Amino acid sequence: MGLPWPFAHRRTLAAAQAPGQVGSGCSRALFGQPLAALCGEDGSLPRPIQEMLAVLHKEGPSTEGIFRRAAGRTEFRELREALDHGADVDLGSQPALLLAVILKDFLRSIPAKLLVTDLYEDWMAAMQKSGKEEKVEELKAVAKKLPGANLVLLKRLLALLQHIGHNASSSRMTASNLAICLGPNLLSPPNEDVLPLEAMLAVTEKVNVLVAFLIENCGDIFVEEMAGRSCPSAGELAAPMDRATGTRCFGSSHPREHSRLPGMHRRTKERFRGKKRPFLNRTFVSLLIPEDFMTTAGLDLDTTESAVKELEVGDEAGPRELS
């Protein structure tokens, strides 16, 4: 199966002869696979994920709305397909917003989630501790129960998110904002599919609080491993080779405008007609409109909220009711 334009490009002879990395993700699908199956024999993360983390570590702090804003639907689909087919993609040339959406989709596709569904109650119990130090100690204990590959990615991810949060003046993304956007992709309870909406809202809030705490305190939770940790630059990572297809991939650096869904406001109002009107905030909207649907439609939470109602977002203003 050929790769979609504009990613496929014939490699030069020198590039074709350059060595690849075993276990980089080039020989199997990248999305929806157990994380351990994608990692190298030395426990290293798949090379596309390493490169995405490196680029986002460099570009994320200066990209407003990173991990919140959506990317173009076509660019998202083409880049995802190229990576899933093991193509050699020049991720350093891709927009940071697009890479953030791809990374979120990768996290969402990990079977049983990065923080492991079966450990949901353990994570929640740790957050019930009264003091920060007690929480940190309990979270350390839960983290030790994670599979090795999950723990490696978790540390790298938290380092990235904390770096972005520390630059909220330019990224406009605090630890709390990042937790809201990423939390549901990292952890969910085992019975998620059968939970009613109100219960799922409560679960999501708890997960978001957990993830925000992990971001803010990752240096204390992983004190030895996180000391001086930073993502390597994209230039420090040798480009992986796709020996099967003989292609080198390049992508557009110009995301397309976000699409819109007409009538969303009307349909949402009809859904709640005759019922007690819920308070809406960014978390509620992210559950009301599934994130997969929003991403593939080119929507972001700002767009969706505007379609539902001009809402005040943030703890200071508080949520408003749907009229």
Side-chain angles (χ1 to χ4, degrees):
M1 179 178 178
L3 293 172
W5 183 91
F7 293 101
H9 188 280
R10 181 64 56 184
R11 293 186 303 175
T12 64
L13 178 61
Q17 292 175 340
Q21 175 187 336
V22 177
S24 66
C26 291
S27 61
R28 63 190 307 160
L30 182 66
F31 296 86
Q33 303 295 322
L35 193 54
L38 297 173
C39 291
E41 294 180 359
D42 61 351
S44 60
L45 295 172
R47 187 166 293 278
I49 302 305
Q50 291 188 53
E51 292 182 348
M52 274 187 271
L53 290 169
V55 175
L56 289 172
H57 191 270
K58 178 182 178 181
E59 305 290 342
S62 60
T63 303
E64 185 172 335
I66 191 74
F67 287 111
R68 175 177 59 80
R69 294 170 57 193
R73 175 174 55 182
T74 301
E75 287 79 5
F76 166 78
R77 184 182 68 251
E78 290 180 346
L79 180 55
R80 189 187 190 281
E81 288 179 359
L83 291 172
D84 215 31
H85 283 86
D88 175 19
V89 179
D90 180 13
L91 293 174
S93 70
Q94 304 301 319
L97 290 176
L98 175 58
L99 295 183
V101 173
I102 292 289
L103 182 58
K104 283 173 65 176
D105 192 59
F106 174 78
L107 293 169
R108 182 168 51 247
S109 76
I110 296 175
K113 301 291 182 70
L114 182 64
L115 294 179
V116 181
T117 296
D118 288 342
L119 294 177
Y120 174 81
E121 294 298 339
D122 292 15
W123 290 115
M124 293 300 108
M127 290 300 294
Q128 293 300 312
K129 299 298 180 180
S130 57
K132 175 184 173 180
E133 292 184 2
E134 291 86 350
K135 284 187 175 72
V136 167
E137 291 304 315
E138 288 297 319
L139 291 171
K140 284 182 181 179
V142 180
K144 290 179 180 179
K145 300 178 183 180
L146 291 172
N150 292 49
L151 188 57
V152 169
L153 179 53
L154 177 61
K155 293 172 184 176
R156 289 288 299 274
L157 179 64
L158 292 176
L160 167 64
L161 298 179
Q162 188 181 78
H163 182 50
I164 292 172
H166 284 172
N167 291 273
S169 59
S170 54
S171 69
R172 304 295 181 186
M173 296 298 289
T174 64
S176 178
N177 298 146
L178 291 164
I180 288 173
C181 295
L182 286 162
N185 301 318
L186 301 180
L187 180 65
S188 61
N191 60 341
E192 176 186 17
D193 294 339
V194 299
L195 287 178
L197 180 59
E198 290 185 2
M200 196 61 216
L201 283 171
V203 164
T204 299
E205 288 292 340
K206 292 179 180 179
V207 170
N208 292 346
V209 171
L210 165 67
V211 174
F213 189 90
L214 290 174
I215 294 172
E216 293 170 344
N217 299 281
C218 60
D220 295 325
I221 298 170
F222 305 110
V223 59
E224 295 180 1
E225 298 90 336
M226 300 291 286
R229 173 175 289 277
S230 62
C231 294
S233 66
E236 294 174 339
L237 294 170
M241 297 296 110
D242 182 6
R243 297 169 179 168
T245 62
T247 58
R248 184 170 184 81
C249 308
F250 300 89
S252 170
S253 60
H254 304 289
R256 300 177 183 176
E257 293 184 358
H258 301 163
S259 60
R260 301 291 189 267
L261 290 185
M264 184 181 293
H265 187 185
R266 174 180 53 78
R267 291 195 297 273
T268 305
K269 290 181 70 174
E270 290 176 353
R271 178 174 179 177
F272 291 101
R273 182 169 294 156
K275 301 180 182 180
K276 183 178 180 180
R277 294 180 299 180
F279 283 98
L280 291 181
N281 55 20
R282 188 176 295 274
T283 301
F284 185 93
V285 171
S286 69
L287 287 168
L288 183 65
I289 312 298
E291 186 176 0
D292 295 76
F293 182 77
M294 291 168 59
T295 298
T296 55
L299 291 170
D300 58 27
L301 286 177
D302 285 339
T303 300
T304 309
E305 285 178 317
S306 298
V308 175
K309 181 66 179 177
E310 293 181 359
L311 300 172
E312 295 290 338
V313 178
D315 296 336
E316 297 82 8
R320 291 168 57 187
E321 286 188 278
L322 177 67
S323 61

